[in-house]
Amino acid sequence: MSTGVVRPPLGRFAAQHLVARNYLVYRRDWVVFVTGFLEPLLYLLSIGLGIQQLVGDFVLADGSRVTYTEFVAPAMLAASAMNGSLFDATFGVFFKLKYEKVYDAVLATPLRPVDVAVGELVWSLLRAAVYAAAFVAFMAILGLTGSWWALLGPVAAVVIGYAFAGAGMALTTWMRSWQDFDFITLAVLPMFLFSATFFPLNRYPDGVQWLVQLTPLYHGVVLCRGLTTGALGVDLLVAVAYLVAMGSIGLAVSSRRLGTLLLR
Amino acid sequence: MGARPLGQTADRPDVADPPLDVLVHARGLRKSYGQLEAVRGIDVTVRRGEAFGFLGPNGAGKSSTMRMIAAVSTASDGSLRVLGMDPATDGPAIRARLGVCPQDDTLDSELTVRENLLVYGRFFGLSRAEVARRADELLAFVQLGDRAGARVEQLSGGLKRRLTVARSLINEPELLMLDEPTTGLDPQARHLLWDRLFRLKQQGTTLLLTTHYMDEAEQLCDRLVVIDEGVIVAEGSPAQLIRDHSSREVCELRFGVDDHDGVAARLAHLGERVEVLPDRLLVYAADGESVAQAVHDLGLTPRSTLVRRSTLEDVFLRLTGRSLAD
């Protein structure tokens, strides 16, 4: 079954109705929504209050000097965008796909698999953007932003979320059971620890640096750190290109796979 | 499979251009899942305003056929037009005008009863105001008005099915498709649902349903096909099918003996036909009472005797050699 050739009677933004459905569900579970703010915030406070005193200041590539908290905070922003968007796009999609059969019902309407994929992705990104906006505001209050570019933090979070939600949703279409999600955890945790999040790239052994630079979260961290510290460079554009490509491939694979699974 | 590829049916004029009042037009329709051939070449014509049924046991290919007609599954071979369009290319446009009530309830358990209708209606592009108006009407129609704010998990099977029917009507479909609408429901819930479906039928909604209950088929269907192992074995109205494939009456006899075949041989001359089932013998005859009397006159003493009218169950038994309820 092809997913892209048919004329959609609802126009191009049919996916918005699925986003509205998710909003309706979350409006009731606002506690779950609010807890999403907490995790990165707690990391930030623990580092700001404790570790910074032990580590001292950092000199960035462009020669500017930042505190350790200023160095780590953008990495937390990137990591929370990753975690936040992955949750809905993997566990959320799997639950609706296999247990709730939400998409079976959705596809009995004019919506197409691509609308489902886009709808879930947009929803993940909206959440990521809201969390990121709050996080950046908190950074500003704590004096952790060294540039007006930091205002683009939520946009960076959306780009990062796009990459991870797209890829995560695509992988989810191959998941057979909840146990399979351990593979995602297995990929996410090392990335969280070793994507130049807590210490800079040049501290990694030479043979490992290229490996770090291949990971998507590394590019997310580069993007956020560049914006909040104001140390801009070409590497930010590379990061955006990498993340957008990853998300787009994920989205294309997701809508194809959803079609294969649901329109048998 | 190796049959002709999809769409090459122009040599058959009836395929190329079905009349406007034909909502479903299938010719040589097939569906395979790998090695398994679920639907093996069926011809179906459903006209506007009628209630059309697929009667057959589980695994006969009913649901596969329904999914193809509902434009959520591609045909492996044959031609199919739904509402005058091709499901392979016009899926969304077809689905916009269908109501689908699937066998397994696919209600959204994270939403309330009323929200299920509101959200679903929006998928059809209806405005919020219009959806709200229809939701209230439909909840009243299926008698769920007082449960509007309840969570779906709190509903019984019968109420869930009624909500599913209400949901399938939110876009005022031209064709309402119901896959096993009353399977798993208690008798009271079944009758209430039948009553609602009957009203829809009277309002002019075209119904297409599958069932393995002969009473359901007799109650609701103007016309039906008996489907078995992926092929259609008979077609007609319930009364016509019974007339063509069975006697007017049936005498059911239960003996306490293992030797049903031996007894059957002695009864063979009493009716048009004798069927041996694991637990009983069925003697088909125009006058069942006289069969019962004749059995008695032969000196046989069945544990129980029941004379009844022929049903679609008997038609199915005759045509396939098997019972509908497996």
Side-chain angles (χ1 to χ4, degrees):
Chain A
M1 183 88 187
S2 57
T3 52
V5 294
V6 281
R7 283 164 282 150
L10 290 183
R12 306 185 112 210
F13 300 106
Q16 63 171 299
H17 302 302
L18 193 61
V19 176
R21 178 258 170 213
N22 289 346
Y23 171 70
L24 203 57
V25 171
Y26 273 81
R27 204 175 49 174
R28 210 168 5 244
D29 292 333
W30 60 270
V31 177
V32 177
F33 191 76
V34 169
T35 52
F37 292 102
L38 283 179
E39 190 192 302
L41 223 52
L42 292 175
Y43 270 109
L44 195 60
L45 288 174
S46 103
I47 289 161
L49 294 174
I51 301 172
Q52 181 175 316
Q53 272 69 28
L54 304 171
V55 180
D57 288 354
F58 265 70
V59 180
L60 295 178
D62 71 342
S64 56
R65 211 175 172 79
V66 295
T67 64
Y68 184 61
T69 316
E70 284 174 281
F71 177 80
V72 173
M76 293 299 108
L77 175 62
S80 72
M82 170 180 78
N83 286 324
S85 63
L86 265 181
F87 189 80
D88 275 334
T90 56
F91 290 101
V93 167
F94 188 74
F95 180 64
K96 290 181 213 168
L97 184 65
K98 298 271 160 133
Y99 293 94
E100 277 228 290
K101 310 274 181 197
V102 169
Y103 305 137
D104 288 273
V106 170
L107 291 182
T109 74
L111 268 68
R112 302 157 301 159
V114 64
D115 299 317
V116 171
V118 170
E120 291 296 353
L121 201 61
V122 167
W123 169 249
S124 294
L125 302 189
L126 284 178
R127 276 187 83 180
V130 170
Y131 289 146
F135 190 80
V136 170
F138 196 71
M139 281 176 70
I141 292 166
L142 296 180
L144 298 171
T145 47
S147 159
W148 283 103
W149 286 103
L151 286 175
L152 286 179
V155 178
V158 165
V159 174
I160 295 163
Y162 179 62
F164 283 99
M169 190 175 7
L171 291 175
T172 298
T173 62
W174 275 283
M175 302 282 176
R176 296 152 300 176
S177 68
W178 295 112
Q179 276 75 33
D180 286 346
F181 286 93
D182 289 344
F183 290 110
I184 288 186
T185 314
L186 207 63
V188 163
L189 188 62
M191 255 197 286
F192 176 64
L193 294 172
F194 301 111
S195 294
T197 28
F198 295 100
F199 49 96
L201 183 66
N202 58 26
R203 294 298 175 89
Y204 290 83
D206 288 342
V208 183
Q209 287 188 15
W210 66 270
L211 188 66
V212 172
Q213 286 176 285
L214 282 182
T215 67
L217 186 58
Y218 169 78
H219 292 277
V221 171
V222 165
L223 185 58
C224 291
R225 192 169 282 150
L227 291 174
T228 62
T229 61
L232 304 178
V234 183
D235 52 348
L236 267 68
L237 295 176
V238 174
V240 169
Y242 178 111
L243 295 168
V244 168
M246 176 172 160
S248 300
I249 293 169
L251 178 60
V253 171
S254 299
S255 55
R256 216 188 165 74
R257 283 282 302 160
L258 286 174
T260 309
L261 290 176
L262 295 165
L263 303 180
R264 296 180 313 282
Chain B
M1 254 180 354
R4 71 192 141 66
L6 207 65
Q8 287 193 6
T9 45
D11 54 320
R12 296 167 64 171
D14 59 332
V15 170
D17 197 14
L20 281 177
D21 74 327
V22 171
L23 298 191
V24 180
H25 190 272
R27 291 295 178 271
L29 193 61
R30 287 174 179 271
K31 181 69 189 183
S32 308
Y33 301 99
Q35 291 294 308
L36 177 76
E37 265 201 301
V39 181
R40 301 187 298 150
I42 65 169
D43 295 357
V44 172
T45 306
V46 180
R47 290 192 180 78
R48 193 179 293 279
E50 73 178 337
F52 188 93
F54 289 102
L55 178 70
N58 292 327
K62 305 189 300 287
S63 293
S64 298
T65 306
M66 290 287 267
R67 285 178 56 84
M68 285 189 277
I69 296 172
V72 292
S73 169
T74 40
S76 305
D77 194 18
S79 85
L80 177 62
R81 306 288 287 179
V82 181
L83 303 170
M85 292 177 278
D86 181 354
T89 53
D90 294 317
I94 291 172
R95 296 198 296 267
R97 293 158 60 188
L98 295 182
V100 177
C101 187
Q103 188 173 349
D104 306 312
D105 291 313
T106 55
L107 294 167
D108 198 327
S109 63
E110 294 186 279
L111 300 174
T112 67
V113 167
R114 188 162 182 273
E115 283 170 349
N116 259 279
L117 300 183
L118 299 179
V119 167
Y120 208 69
R122 296 285 286 157
F123 291 152
F124 288 92
L126 300 170
S127 72
R128 283 176 208 286
E130 181 63 16
V131 163
R133 187 186 65 77
R134 290 190 193 179
D136 294 332
E137 267 179 28
L138 287 169
L139 286 178
F141 176 69
V142 297
Q143 300 174 0
L144 277 173
D146 55 337
R147 307 298 295 273
R151 294 291 286 262
V152 166
E153 307 103 279
Q154 299 164 350
L155 301 183
S156 68
L159 298 191
K160 278 184 184 164
R161 196 61 56 85
R162 268 147 64 185
L163 179 56
T164 305
V165 170
R167 190 184 65 174
S168 70
L169 293 169
I170 195 83
N171 59 326
E172 296 179 345
E174 289 170 58
L175 176 62
L176 178 60
M177 305 184 58
L178 306 131
D179 197 357
E180 304 273 353
T182 65
T183 297
L185 302 190
D186 61 58
Q188 198 190 350
R190 293 182 76 194
H191 282 283
L192 196 141
L193 197 54
W194 282 346
D195 172 63
R196 297 295 111 172
L197 295 176
F198 195 73
R199 280 169 199 241
L200 285 172
K201 187 177 141 182
Q202 286 190 313
Q203 288 163 18
T205 306
T206 310
L207 302 181
L208 179 53
L209 62 111
T210 74
T211 183
H212 64 268
Y213 295 125
M214 43 135 190
D215 50 348
E216 185 158 282
E218 287 184 31
Q219 287 251 356
L220 292 174
C221 298
D222 302 319
R223 215 155 56 81
L224 56 90
V225 290
V226 179
I227 183 166
D228 185 44
E229 293 181 345
V231 293
I232 289 171
V233 291
E235 178 171 1
S237 70
Q240 189 186 344
L241 283 169
I242 292 167
R243 209 163 46 235
D244 292 353
H245 299 283
S246 190
S247 57
R248 202 170 68 90
E249 289 187 338
V250 187
C251 181
E252 290 199 10
L253 304 163
R254 287 171 199 267
F255 290 94
V257 296
D258 294 329
D259 186 25
H260 269 145
D261 286 310
V263 177
R266 293 179 62 191
L267 299 178
H269 66 284
L270 295 181
E272 299 163 22
R273 199 162 55 88
V274 177
E275 286 281 354
V276 181
L277 297 185
D279 61 336
R280 61 197 194 276
L281 293 174
L282 307 179
V283 183
Y284 291 92
D287 182 356
E289 286 297 345
S290 62
V291 172
Q293 184 59 48
V295 169
H296 191 73
D297 293 346
L298 282 173
L300 293 167
T301 49
R303 276 186 175 179
S304 73
T305 308
L306 171 73
V307 174
R308 59 170 176 80
R309 311 276 293 197
S310 272
T311 66
L312 287 172
E313 177 83 44
D314 300 299
V315 172
F316 190 80
L317 188 63
R318 174 70 192 272
L319 292 170
T320 68
R322 287 180 296 106
S323 175
L324 260 175
D326 33 24

